Amino acid sequence: QVQLVESGGGLVQAGGSLRLSCAASRSIFSINAMGWYRQAPGKQREWVTTVTDDGSTNYADSVKGRFTISRDNAKNTVYLQMNSLKVEDTAVYYCHAVAYGGPYWGQGTQVTVSS
């Protein structure tokens, strides 16, 4: 079992930055991959980015060049640095982990970008 707790969401103006954190309840060394999804009002949940256990990263085209995912194994935490935010980035952001017995999801954190 892995519990994931997100934090760092909030309200920001377009062009601004936010950093989301996802703290896991146990060591992330044994977690195959962690990442972020998001769900905007009235839309399906969509994949944003993933970091694997070997540090490889992938990004959705819509966030490539603006968002950066990183992991701190010592803190069992994954981060999502979001720069140059756009109104269309407004969504609930969910942390996701692929591990034995999973996948696992966090409860979500709201990100609102105003124009």
Side-chain angles (χ1 to χ4, degrees):
Q1 282 277 0
V2 180
Q3 293 180 328
L4 304 172
V5 179
E6 302 102 332
S7 60
L11 174 64
V12 64
Q13 286 191 329
S17 299
L18 281 175
R19 189 177 80 155
L20 305 183
S21 300
C22 172
S25 58
R26 63 170 175 83
S27 172
I28 63 175
F29 275 109
S30 61
I31 296 178
N32 302 104
M34 295 186 70
W36 295 89
Y37 284 68
R38 67 186 182 185
Q39 188 167 17
K43 295 187 177 181
Q44 289 190 332
R45 191 173 297 189
E46 65 173 1
W47 169 75
V48 176
T49 180
T50 300
V51 58
T52 61
D53 53 1
D54 66 358
S56 299
T57 58
N58 283 287
Y59 298 91
D61 287 343
S62 59
V63 306
K64 201 171 292 184
R66 300 187 297 120
F67 290 12
T68 303
I69 189 171
S70 61
R71 58 192 292 164
D72 185 334
N73 291 336
K75 295 183 178 179
N76 299 330
T77 300
V78 171
Y79 303 97
L80 181 63
Q81 179 65 43
M82 305 185 295
N83 298 328
S84 302
L85 282 161
K86 304 176 181 180
V87 172
E88 51 264 41
D89 294 319
T90 295
V92 178
Y93 284 71
Y94 296 91
C95 184
H96 175 259
V98 176
Y100 180 79
Y104 301 95
W105 294 92
Q107 82 287 352
T109 185
Q110 177 70 46
V111 171
T112 302
V113 184
S114 63
S115 58

